[in-house]
Structure formats: C-alpha cells, structure tokens
Amino acid sequence: MSVPTNRRSIFLGRMPLPERNFVADALRAETVGGVLLLVAAIVALIWANTLSGSYEAIRDFHIGPAFLGLDLSLQHWAANGLLAVFFFVAGIELKRELVVGELRDPKAATLPVIAAICGMVMPALVYVVVNVFGGGSLDGWAVPTATDIAFALAVLAVIGTSLPSALRAFLLTLAVVDDLFAILIIAVFFTSKINFLPLGLAVVGLAVFYLLLRMGVRGWYVYVPLAVITWALMENSGVHATIAGVAMGLMLRCTRRDGERHSLGEHIEHLVRPLSAGLAVPLFALFSAGVTISGSAVHEVFTRPETLGVVLGLVAGKALGIFGGTWVTARFTKAQLNPDLKWPDLFAVGALSGIGFTVSLLIGELAFAGDLTLTDEIKASVLIGSLLAAVFSGALLKARNNKYKQLCEEEERDDDQDGIPDIYERDKPEYHLRMALILEARAAEHRRLAEVAAGPHTGDDGPA
C-alpha cells in the first residue's frame, strides 16, 4: 500500500515526554513568579495612591558609585539591573528552544514564530492607526507588543484554568519569541547615544565569558563578578544594560552530554529562575507599577490617543494578530489542529498574550523618558490593558474549562504507577501486558475482600 504524501501534520498535538516535563517545570516556576508579580503590582498601586510622597521618594532615591557612572535611582536599578537577570533567563530559554526545543525544527517552529511576529506587528499597527488619526505621538508603538508570560500564568492560576500542555507550550514559545523581538526593539530603537569605549570593553567581557565557558572553567566566583563588570560597562555604553544579560544567557550550552541529567544552561536556569521570578521582576513591578489611578486618569487613558492605542493594542491587537497569524499559516502549511482543541482556544491564548506587563512597562519608560506625566499615563494604560486582556481571556478560557480539565486528567493518568503517563505508553505491548496483570491483581483482591465480607462458610447444616 502506498503512503499518502499529502498527510496533514497535527498542530498542538501530544508533546514528547521529556519536552512536556521540562515545559511543566518551567511553567510551574513562572506561575509562582507571576503570583508574586501580581502581588507586587497591587502593593505598588496601593502605595502610590495612598502614600504617594513616600513612594516617589524611595523610587527616586539615588544610590551607587557616581565615578563609575552608576549613581542611579532605585527605579533605574530595578529596570536596568534586576531586569538583566530576567533577560538572562530569557536568553537561556531562547537558546534552549533553538537547540532542543520547539524552535529547533524550522517546520515545527513556523507556526509559533509567525504567530508571535503577527502578535507583535498587529498591536503596533493598532497603536499607529489610533495615533495617526488621533494626532498622537508614534513613539510608543512598541509598548503593546510585549507579552508577560509570568503574569499570564498567574492569571491562569487565579482563575483556576488548567490548560493542556500543548497550549501551555505554545504560550511559552510565543513568549520566548516575543522576548527575542522585544530585546531587538530595545537594542535598535531605544539606544540614542553610544559610547564606544565602554561598549567595546563590554564586548571584550562577553568574549571572555564565552571563552571561559568553552574552556570548562567552573565557579560562580569567576562568572558573577565578570557578569557584573560587563553589565556596568554596557550600562555606561548607552545600549540598554539588559542586552548584556541576554547575550550571556545565549552563550550557555543547552545540549546534554553523556551522563548529564541536565545541560549547563538548564542547571543554571534552574538556579537563577527563582531569583528572577521571586525577586528581580517583582521588585521591578514594585518600582514601576506605582501610578496614581483616579477617575480623571482613567478618562485620559481612554481618550488620549497614545494611551488608547496601548489599550487597544494589548486587548485587540494581540488576540487578532496571534489568532490570525496562526490560522493563515496553518491553512498554507496544511497543519491540522489537534482534534481535542478548537480554534477559539487559540483565540483565547492570543487574548491571554495581551497581558504585557513587565516589558511593556519597561518600553513605556524608554519611549517617553522625557515626559513624566505621559510616562505615568502610559503605565496606567498598560495596567488597564493587561487587566482587560486578563478578564477577556479568562472568560473565554472558563467557557472551556471542563474540557481542559478532562484533557489534563488524561495527560496525567498513570494507572500502572510507573511515573510515566499512560498516554505515552499505550502503543507499547509491554504496557498492555503490565495493565492486564494489574487488572487481574485488582480483580483477585476484590474477590478476596468480597469473600471476607461474606463471612466464613458454614456448610449445609447451619451454624455449628
């Protein structure tokens, strides 16, 4: 029998078990970090709207050696220093996706990459259209392009939705590609003046970092000081200092050698991710999300073209861009959606990607650095847009929550209790033999219990 050559590939089908386990661990850590991020944002809003004087005084307090060009405010330290840790982890995630993850196969990567690109282009277009017709500034076009995976997963944790692993992996891949383009946007569009001497020295620091890794040198006491020095040089160069974190993350090896349970990159990511998710990002949110929210401020968000463009870009642009890019690409590549899922599921994930908290706040600060009032209004629009996207996507996901729970239970079922979900073993003959033995043992146990419950056999003559 000839095999048809036009067989359609399955999109969002079952993931390989190792990849599924890695994604589950990564998303579990991101979810915890997202909850902390959510708490930090709420604290910042309450603090800024009740004790605004103390909030501004602490946020704008300068600390650091001026002779090294590092006399920075706490807000600046959080945005350029702590977020370098966040982008370091993002660099490792990107490297892993490129060499062993969803992005290693160009054919498999086509859908999520195009979806992510469309999910950034469409919000930018929405912002531009609103501001062209509204007479606003185009400087903030990049603000609604970002997705905050931690905040998105925190929303999932709050509303109690259990997305199937394929949808979660798709969301993670979207966020990784999104982070890559956000890094490029920051590096290209928000670097106004370059000081080539510290930039050159920073490049030398990165080269030394790379060579030490290739030579197999070990010890945090070697790499951490080198990373700090490289970051400080990048900060003084005019290029956004978080680029140093990304570059170092991309240099780590993410392929496993013989005898290794985890690659070097995976091991370091496991060590650094709690610092990023539990400290760096929440502190950034604490010093960046504190904006005064009043009736007039909310009115400004929905009437001023710059802020309205951000809100519409996050809520509508993200959902339409990701869904549209995925649907069109699937049509042209003849990819068939997993029959257990529906296209509205993809639209809901697109809407969830409209939660653009951390990087959107950072880009908003960079885009309108010379206008403090507009910067605060842009921050308010990011918060409101992210909140609306969370509510909208939450409602869509809730409508399918029972189906998601059913799929998740099927993925997690392990009747033979060997630590491997049954769904990954059903095609193996030894699985069926093992299950037959288990069922036979259970039936025998049930018969024994039934006999015990019936009491001792007394014979034909009645009780003794």
Side-chain angles (χ1 to χ4, degrees):
M1 176 184 289
S2 62
V3 179
T5 58
N6 61 344
R7 183 180 178 183
R8 305 184 73 182
S9 60
I10 299 296
F11 171 49
L12 294 181
R14 188 196 312 167
M15 302 174 63
L17 183 59
E19 183 70 11
R20 171 189 173 276
N21 291 339
F22 179 85
V23 168
D25 291 340
L27 293 179
R28 194 176 297 115
E30 290 282 8
T31 301
V32 174
V35 173
L36 294 175
L37 176 62
L38 184 60
V39 171
I42 293 172
V43 170
L45 286 171
I46 295 174
W47 188 3
N49 285 273
T50 55
L51 300 169
S52 59
S54 65
Y55 178 81
E56 293 172 1
I58 294 176
R59 181 191 64 188
D60 299 332
F61 180 76
H62 277 62
I63 189 172
F67 68 95
L68 293 177
L70 297 175
D71 182 18
L72 310 174
S73 67
L74 291 181
Q75 182 181 19
H76 195 128
W77 277 110
N80 287 30
L82 292 177
L83 278 195
V85 179
F86 166 79
F87 279 106
F88 174 70
V89 174
I92 299 175
E93 289 178 341
L94 177 61
K95 177 69 172 289
R96 186 190 175 280
E97 287 293 317
L98 289 171
V99 297
V100 296
E102 291 292 304
L103 302 181
R104 72 187 184 280
D105 181 1
K107 291 183 179 179
T110 299
L111 271 166
V113 169
I114 292 180
I117 292 173
C118 292
M120 298 186 79
V121 171
M122 184 61 73
L125 287 177
V126 169
Y127 179 93
V128 169
V129 169
V130 170
N131 281 271
V132 165
F133 287 97
S137 170
L138 298 182
D139 292 344
W141 64 270
V143 175
T145 60
T147 293
D148 193 312
I149 181 66
F151 217 141
L153 291 169
V155 170
L156 286 179
V158 170
I159 65 176
T161 299
S162 299
L163 280 183
S165 59
L167 277 177
R168 286 178 173 256
F170 181 67
L171 180 61
L172 178 61
T173 306
L174 285 176
V176 169
V177 178
D178 195 288
D179 285 342
L180 169 63
F181 284 99
I183 292 161
L184 294 175
I185 288 171
I186 291 171
V188 174
F189 295 99
F190 297 104
T191 300
S192 56
K193 183 180 179 181
I194 297 179
N195 189 334
F196 288 99
L197 178 59
L199 178 61
L201 293 175
V203 172
V204 171
L206 291 173
V208 172
F209 188 90
Y210 177 82
L211 289 174
L212 291 175
L213 286 172
R214 290 299 169 268
M215 292 167 59
V217 176
R218 294 180 176 272
W220 64 268
Y221 45 84
V222 175
Y223 292 101
V224 172
L226 179 59
V228 172
I229 292 171
T230 303
W231 171 87
L233 290 167
M234 193 70 76
E235 170 68 22
N236 281 276
S237 72
V239 177
H240 202 271
T242 54
I243 303 301
V246 177
M248 286 183 277
L250 287 170
M251 291 178 186
L252 294 177
R253 175 177 56 83
C254 290
T255 53
R256 299 178 186 179
R257 293 174 177 170
D258 291 341
E260 286 186 339
R261 292 186 60 190
H262 303 286
S263 66
L264 176 64
E266 290 171 338
H267 176 67
I268 293 178
E269 180 186 5
H270 179 74
L271 294 176
V272 178
R273 186 184 288 277
L275 177 63
S276 170
L279 181 66
V281 176
L283 279 179
F284 168 76
L286 181 65
F287 290 117
S288 293
V291 294
T292 303
I293 303 294
S294 62
S296 59
V298 173
H299 179 264
E300 284 289 327
V301 166
F302 290 100
T303 55
R304 184 161 185 162
E306 294 89 348
T307 50
L308 180 61
V310 170
V311 172
L312 292 179
L314 289 172
V315 178
K318 273 288 184 181
L320 293 174
I322 290 173
F323 176 79
T326 305
W327 187 82
V328 171
T329 307
R331 292 279 293 186
F332 281 102
T333 59
K334 295 183 178 180
Q336 183 177 359
L337 183 66
N338 182 344
D340 290 328
L341 301 173
K342 298 182 181 299
W343 282 108
D345 297 325
L346 268 294
F347 187 81
V349 170
L352 186 65
S353 301
I355 302 174
F357 190 77
T358 304
V359 181
S360 289
L361 289 176
L362 176 61
I363 294 177
E365 291 178 358
L366 297 173
F368 299 102
D371 190 336
L372 294 179
T373 301
L374 184 53
T375 298
D376 281 347
E377 291 176 353
I378 289 293
K379 288 182 180 180
S381 68
V382 170
L383 296 176
I384 292 173
S386 297
L387 176 62
L388 292 176
V391 172
F392 179 45
S393 61
L396 294 176
L397 293 169
K398 270 293 185 183
R400 292 267 290 164
N401 198 37
N402 290 335
K403 180 63 175 178
Y404 295 149
K405 285 183 177 179
Q406 179 184 342
L407 293 174
C408 287
E409 289 172 0
E410 184 69 15
E411 289 180 357
E412 298 295 333
R413 182 173 297 162
D414 184 16
D415 288 336
D416 58 351
Q417 298 181 352
D418 64 346
I420 301 175
D422 295 339
I423 196 171
Y424 289 93
E425 299 185 292
R426 288 176 181 169
D427 296 333
K428 300 178 180 179
E430 59 268 25
Y431 166 77
H432 295 285
L433 175 61
R434 188 163 61 247
M435 284 303 302
L437 294 173
I438 290 173
L439 293 174
E440 182 179 343
R442 289 177 181 174
E445 179 66 13
H446 289 158
R447 288 195 298 269
R448 186 186 70 80
L449 292 175
E451 291 173 358
V452 170
H457 183 64
T458 58
D460 297 330
D461 298 329

